[in-house]
Amino acid sequence: MTANSASERMAAGDVMVKSPDDRASLAKPPELAEYLGKTVQGLAVWRMNGVGPKFIKFENGSIRYRWSDVDAWLAAQEVGGAA
């Protein structure tokens, strides 16, 4: 995706925000790593240690993430602040 894509918007802190239509697809590890500011290897370590968002592992070994699972995991990471 390019920075000029209508489906990408930059929010405060240069965090990429995707529209719900774009997020219907499954994320590949490089895409999620970029979104979270992590490395692909960092995501692999999370998977091995049982932390991070839920993921799908296909028979061929490829890994994908549902954006809804990523959102749920991020929400669970919130701490502090007003309710």
Side-chain angles (χ1 to χ4, degrees), residues 23-38:
R23 296 172 62 111
S25 64
L26 298 174
K28 294 179 180 178
E31 183 180 7
L32 184 61
E34 180 180 348
Y35 182 75
L36 295 176
K38 297 291 184 182

Side-chain angles (χ1 to χ4, degrees), residues 22-78:
D22 291 336
R23 296 172 62 111
S25 64
L26 298 174
K28 294 179 180 178
E31 183 180 7
L32 184 61
E34 180 180 348
Y35 182 75
L36 295 176
K38 297 291 184 182
T39 64
V40 173
Q41 184 61 33
L43 293 179
V45 170
W46 280 359
R47 290 191 304 269
M48 287 187 299
N49 291 326
V51 297
K54 291 181 187 177
F55 63 94
I56 301 164
K57 185 172 184 177
F58 292 100
E59 289 180 7
N60 67 0
S62 63
I63 302 293
R64 297 293 185 273
Y65 296 87
R66 285 188 185 97
W67 284 111
S68 59
D69 290 335
V70 173
D71 289 339
W73 177 78
L74 285 171
Q77 305 311 302
E78 293 179 3

